[in-house]
Structures are given as structure tokens and as C-alpha cells.
Amino acid sequence: MKRIKRTLSVILIVALLLTTLSASAFAVDTVQIEFTVPKVGDTMHKNGDTFTANEEVTCTVQAVYTGDEIKKITDALFETKYDVLKTYANSTYSPSEYYLGQFYLIILRLTGAISSATTVSSWNVFPTGENSDQPMYVYQIFTPTADSNSDDGDSGSSGGESNNTSSPDPTTSSKDVRVSYKAEKTQEVVSVEVSWGEMKFTYSPATEGTWDPATHEYENSQNAKWSYSGNTITVVSHSNVPLNATLTYTPTDGFDHITGKFLKEDNEDNAEIPENTMTIPTAVGTSVENPPTATAYLILDGALDKNTAYETVSGKVTITIK
Amino acid sequence: MRTITKLIVAVAAAVILILAGVLIVWKMVESKPLLPDRAPPDIEKNAVIDNTDSEKMDVPPDGGGASFNYAKEISIDLSTGTAELYFENCGSALYDASLILVIDDTVILESGLLPLGSRLTALSFPKDSLPLQRGGYDAALWVQSYDEAGNALDVNFQLQGIRVEVK
């Protein structure tokens, strides 16, 4: 028994440890910045180093992302798979931090968050104090300026655009005219008017009729029935897209035995609207005075208790436009 | 020994199942939609009221009428706490209204009261407070109308086919 208890205790402790470790795997690393972070629009000059391009690069900062922000982007992309991604980068081994940064760069390019012309550089920062032997990394993303992209590699050249292939004429200047075709997506605008009647329904229970002493029979007996005033629902569309209007009658508490259905015409013998859905065509090609319109007629079924208070709300109508 | 081993495995399995059950219930409770009947909210601060002189729409005697214009695309920026949308409670209608943005039966955003003749092009919310991630969602706008006394009407609307882009 003692051995069982001991074994169970070990299992529980291990389970707790695993839970804690897995929770900490999703914790966001905090990077303390020891130097001044450049702002968007700043010009930066970077010498070549062993991790990135060997050539000098002069760039304009387009965006500055911290490790936390990059992680948010990748988290959104990979969701629960992030723990798998982390196995490809051991955050405790310095060179791997660079590759993790490159990986983030690829993700950002694929998602279109940055253009393909950007590059990322890992800046090694060695703090002072207790952890001075542990480098910290800040990844900065920037787009090379036109000067640093010039073919002769002279970042100090002046005048002329990087896309010009000929030497500038001192007496004339030229500028390429670029044209592009871009079709704006036609936005769907839905414009509807929905009107309804007073929605008053009266239930008349079955009656035996009037006793006729001459015949010893009841005359003019009636079945239970519902009568109504204002049972219409009309949907008018001024939209540039076709619409479906689905009508739903939902009984309120205590009136579950009262059901509602929607008919095409005000005649109880008429057919119900299929799936309680009216199709309204687009208003394109129609006049404002005669827009596409659809009308439904609500009728109720079921017996109403005689003790029901006058004009009690028995249900609600929901109109779903799609 | 075999019996003891089986017992240990059974207990461990039970613990795991209990934890999983707690997690599932917790998630279900978290996403529970909140759609109560309630008093009308305060006027939406982002509402622009500039169309109150419209001729009222024709309605049956003692009946009611609602009129909306809306765009089917909504853009949500989690980092700025802003949702861009277009919804107009036309001045030709008879009632004030309020909006609820719903995704998968979960209330995402709610507007304040949109008076007659008002339009809404943005909703604000605390940054990074929505249970959404970057991407596209199918959604619906639930519209509740209120009479002059502030009572919620028994006729309400669900505007389906709304596309939400989250960035």
C-alpha cells in the first residue's frame, strides 16, 4: 500500500511538472534592449558581419519589430503548432537565434507583412551586470534604400534614380511613367426595408353553436380558429445583390404549443413559403419606385388557454437577411 | 503486482480525463454567447446622426418598420482596438436599433444605441481583448430594435453573410 501511494505521488508530481513546463513553453521571451531602438524612417548603416551580407548596406527603417511582436505574428499563423516550430530553434544556443530570426523573416515575407526586399539583421547585445556573458538579440527589419541597391554598389552616389540605366543628361531630366491596372472590388451594399402589420391574433375556441328548440340540434357550430389583424411581413430590397429573407416564429415561454408558419398569400389553404425563405432579386435594373419586394403572411396554430391575458406576447419573429 | 500496476494506470487515466473534462467545460463556458433581453444601451459614441429628416416609410396600420443599409465586410484591427464597418439605421425607419456582431454563436462586439437617422462606421474595443486571431471569419450582425419607450421589439433581425477580416 505504501508503495502504491508513493508511486501515485510520483505520477502526480510528474504530471504537474509537465503541465507547468508546457505552459511555460508558450511564454513570450522578453528581450531587454540596451541600446536606442531606431524609429521608422531613420537611416541606418550596417557593416557586413559574419551572420548577414558581407557588403555594407545603407537602409531606411520601414518597421521595427520586437521579438514579442514577431512571435505574435507567427503564433497567429501556426497556433498550436508553435511548440513544434520551437524545436527547430534552441533558444539557449546563440547561433540558433539567428536562424530563428531568418525563419521569422520568411514567415513575414510569406504573409505579405513585409516586402521581399527587406532583410533582417540580428543585433547582438551584450548586457552589463550579472548576465554579461549571455547575448541578447533584437531583430530589426529594414528595406534597403535606392542608393544601396544601385548596380555599381556605390552607396554614396548622388543623383539619378536607381532604375535608370543611363547616365543623367545635365540639360534634361527624365522620369519613367509607370502604369498599372487595378480593378476595385465592387462592394456589396445591402439596403432593406422591412415592414410588418400590428401582429394581433385572436383565438376563438370551438363552439357548439346556437340551440334550436325546433330541431333539438345546435346550429352554426364552429371549429376553433385563429383570426388576425396585420399579419403581413414585407421585405423591400434596394440592394445591388439578391437577398434571401428567412422568417422564423419563436414562441415565448409558456406558449410552446402555439406554432407559426408563413404563407405566400393571405389564405390558410395556401401553400407555405418553402423553408420560410423568400428570395428577393437584386435591385439592379429596377426603379426606386418599384423595387424588388416579397411579402409573407403569418398564421398561428394551436389552442390558446382561456386564462391568457389580453394581448399577451406569445412569440417573436426573427427575420434573417442573407 | 499486476493488480497494482493496473490500479496505478487506472488512476492516472482518471486524472487525465478529469483534467481534460475541466478544460473542455472551461472553454464552453468561456464562449457562451450572451444574448439577453435587456433595456436599450446608451447611445453609441461612434454613431453619426445626420439623416433624421427622411420621409418615414410606409407601414401597415399600427404596424412597424425598419430600414437598414449595411456593408457585408467588416475589418477588425486587434492592435488598435477598432472595427471598421458600415451600418445605417435609416431615418425612414421607425425605431432605434443596436448591433451585436456574432461569430459562431459568440458575441464579439456590441454597439450602443443607434438612433434613427444614424450611421456607424467604426466600433471601439479594448486592444487585444477579442477572442479572435488574424484571418477571416464568417459572421452575422444581430439587430435589435427599440420603441420610443425603450422596449425591445418582438421583431428582430439577423444579417447573415457578414465577412470579418481580422488583422
Side-chain angles (χ1 to χ4, degrees), chain B:
Chain B
M1 278 306 289
R2 278 193 182 176
T3 307
I4 293 171
T5 306
K6 284 181 184 175
L7 181 64
I8 291 169
V9 169
V11 170
V15 168
I16 291 169
L17 283 172
I18 288 169
L19 286 174
V22 169
L23 191 63
I24 289 168
V25 170
W26 176 54
K27 282 293 182 187
M28 285 172 63
V29 171
E30 234 186 9
S31 63
K32 183 178 177 183
L34 300 173
L35 298 168
D37 291 330
R38 55 192 171 95
D42 295 332
I43 292 180
E44 169 62 41
K45 63 179 182 180
N46 293 306
V48 176
I49 307 171
D50 59 0
N51 186 18
T52 57
D53 296 331
S54 299
E55 183 178 340
K56 293 299 177 186
M57 58 187 288
D58 290 330
V59 300
D62 295 323
S67 180
F68 314 124
N69 296 332
Y70 62 96
K72 299 179 80 173
E73 289 86 27
I74 295 177
S75 175
I76 292 180
D77 191 328
L78 298 175
S79 61
T80 61
T82 306
E84 294 180 355
L85 71 160
Y86 183 81
F87 181 89
E88 181 180 356
N89 186 19
C90 300
S92 58
L94 305 185
Y95 309 108
D96 297 337
S98 65
L99 291 183
I100 299 175
L101 178 64
V102 176
I103 296 177
D104 290 339
D105 292 331
T106 300
V107 174
I108 301 299
L109 288 172
E110 295 183 59
S111 77
L113 193 70
L114 302 175
L116 284 171
S118 67
R119 54 190 168 87
L120 184 67
T121 57
L123 278 174
S124 305
F125 56 90
K127 296 177 188 178
D128 297 322
S129 63
L130 301 184
L132 300 174
Q133 291 185 341
R134 186 179 166 197
Y137 295 85
D138 291 328
L141 280 174
W142 294 34
V143 185
Q144 177 64 62
S145 299
Y146 303 89
D147 62 17
E148 289 183 355
N151 301 313
L153 296 186
D154 297 320
V155 179
N156 51 57
F157 304 87
Q158 293 184 16
L159 310 178
Q160 303 276 357
I162 305 296
R163 185 69 185 165
V164 175
E165 290 296 326
V166 179
K167 56 182 178 179

Side-chain angles (χ1 to χ4, degrees), chain A residues 55-59 143-150 153-155:
Chain A
E55 296 179 1
E56 293 181 354
V57 178
T58 299
C59 304
T143 303
T145 59
D147 284 344
S148 62
N149 275 338
S150 58
D154 180 3
S155 60

Side-chain angles (χ1 to χ4, degrees), chain A:
Chain A
M1 201 61 194
K2 278 187 182 176
R3 187 181 291 178
I4 294 172
K5 286 183 183 176
R6 202 178 310 138
T7 309
L8 287 175
S9 301
V10 169
I11 291 173
L12 284 173
I13 290 168
V14 169
L16 280 170
L17 277 173
L18 285 173
T19 306
T20 307
L21 282 172
S22 62
S24 67
F26 290 93
V28 177
D29 293 328
T30 300
V31 177
Q32 295 181 351
I33 301 171
E34 292 289 338
F35 60 91
T36 302
V37 178
K39 300 182 296 300
V40 172
D42 285 353
T43 300
M44 297 185 66
H45 178 79
K46 188 177 74 64
N47 298 318
D49 57 33
T50 57
F51 290 127
T52 58
N54 292 326
E55 296 179 1
E56 293 181 354
V57 178
T58 299
C59 304
T60 303
V61 177
Q62 297 293 314
V64 176
Y65 292 84
T66 65
D68 289 358
E69 289 168 330
I70 294 176
K71 185 178 182 303
K72 273 187 180 177
I73 295 170
T74 54
D75 278 350
L77 291 169
F78 292 97
E79 298 175 358
T80 57
K81 294 186 176 62
Y82 188 74
D83 55 339
V84 174
L85 293 175
K86 282 184 74 68
T87 63
Y88 293 101
N90 183 348
S91 60
T92 62
Y93 185 51
S94 298
S96 294
E97 288 285 348
Y98 160 71
Y99 292 113
L100 188 60
Q102 293 297 306
F103 179 74
Y104 286 148
L105 172 65
I106 293 169
I107 298 302
L108 291 168
R109 284 177 177 160
L110 287 175
T111 59
I114 58 175
S115 71
S116 59
T118 56
T119 187
V120 68
S121 172
S122 61
W123 296 74
N124 302 355
V125 179
F126 288 85
T128 57
E130 294 180 0
N131 298 320
S132 58
D133 59 337
Q134 295 296 323
M136 297 182 297
Y137 295 85
V138 172
Y139 294 97
Q140 296 188 338
I141 304 168
F142 49 91
T143 303
T145 59
D147 284 344
S148 62
N149 275 338
S150 58
D151 290 339
D152 58 5
D154 180 3
S155 60
S157 63
S158 61
E161 298 290 334
S162 62
N163 54 337
N164 279 0
T165 55
S166 58
S167 302
D169 186 322
T171 60
T172 64
S173 62
S174 65
K175 172 71 177 174
D176 287 347
V177 177
R178 298 173 183 270
V179 295
S180 301
Y181 178 82
K182 180 180 178 183
E184 292 290 338
K185 180 185 172 185
T186 301
Q187 190 174 34
E188 289 185 7
V189 175
V190 180
S191 176
V192 290
E193 291 178 353
V194 183
S195 61
W196 55 90
E198 60 180 335
M199 293 291 169
K200 288 187 178 177
F201 295 78
T202 303
Y203 177 74
S204 302
T207 62
E208 291 182 312
T210 306
W211 175 254
D212 186 349
T215 61
H216 280 207
E217 289 181 353
Y218 284 100
E219 293 183 351
N220 300 323
S221 61
Q222 287 189 344
N223 296 325
K225 65 174 182 179
W226 284 93
S227 57
Y228 38 83
S229 172
N231 66 331
T232 61
I233 298 171
T234 300
V235 180
V236 177
S237 174
H238 296 283
S239 314
N240 62 344
V241 292
L243 301 176
N244 285 329
T246 302
L247 308 174
T248 308
Y249 174 82
T250 306
T252 52
D253 290 342
F255 293 93
D256 293 337
H257 57 288
I258 306 292
T259 59
K261 57 183 179 180
F262 298 92
L263 305 181
K264 296 177 184 177
E265 291 184 21
D266 192 11
N267 183 338
E268 291 194 27
D269 296 327
N270 202 267
E272 291 182 48
I273 294 175
E275 298 180 338
N276 290 335
T277 299
M278 304 185 291
T279 299
I280 305 140
T282 173
V284 174
T286 67
S287 66
V288 176
E289 294 76 22
N290 291 303
T293 302
T295 298
Y297 300 83
L298 172 64
I299 62 171
L300 300 182
D301 191 20
L304 189 66
D305 186 87
K306 64 180 180 180
N307 296 318
T308 304
Y310 182 69
E311 291 192 353
T312 297
V313 175
S314 68
K316 298 189 178 185
V317 173
T318 299
I319 302 158
T320 301
I321 307 289
K322 186 171 185 181

